[in-house]
Amino acid sequence: QVQLVESGGGLAQPGGSLRLSCAASAGSFFVINFMGWYGRSPGKQRELVAAETSGGRTNSADSVKGRFTISRDNAKNTLYLQMNNLKPEDTAVYYCNANIWTMSGGSLDYWGQGTQVTVSS
């Protein structure tokens, strides 16, 4: 199975920046369909923030476009979320997700433990 380890969360001031990291590892070879970052604000469902496929396509929520950038270092199997111009509304627990192909043609989701991002003065 795939393990996802997140880091980089913490406290930031409005207008500040953070970079989240998600390191993926497994005991055997695996092929990623897509990876992404999801956020869960208090009282809300977990929602997609940004995602990137192995082909390099990206998608992001309208609320973060122009401020957040998703990227992946394939050599390190690490996914990043560069968060700039942070707003208090960005406060949430951020989860790394990896969707990987199975040999039968389906896919499975793996999740990190979540990292807290708090934006406050």
Side-chain angles (χ1 to χ4, degrees), residues 5-111:
V5 180
E6 299 150 319
S7 62
L11 177 65
Q13 296 183 355
S17 298
L18 289 172
R19 188 176 74 162
L20 306 184
S21 299
C22 172
S25 63
S28 61
F29 177 79
F30 62 98
V31 178
I32 298 172
N33 181 18
F34 65 83
M35 295 185 71
W37 291 96
Y38 290 73
R40 179 177 58 80
S41 299
K44 296 184 179 296
Q45 298 284 345
R46 185 160 53 187
E47 297 179 340
L48 177 68
V49 176
E52 183 179 33
T53 70
S54 60
R57 286 188 170 185
T58 62
N59 190 29
S60 61
D62 289 341
S63 61
V64 307
K65 287 182 177 177
R67 300 189 298 117
F68 293 6
T69 302
I70 189 171
S71 62
R72 183 164 63 188
D73 186 335
N74 291 322
K76 297 180 179 180
N77 287 326
T78 300
L79 184 74
Y80 301 97
L81 184 67
Q82 180 66 47
M83 310 168 74
N84 295 327
N85 192 23
L86 284 163
K87 302 177 180 179
E89 306 92 271
D90 298 323
T91 296
V93 178
Y94 287 81
Y95 297 87
C96 178
N97 167 255
N99 185 266
I100 66 169
W101 296 113
T102 68
M103 292 297 295
S104 62
S107 63
L108 293 173
D109 280 317
Y110 295 87
W111 294 90

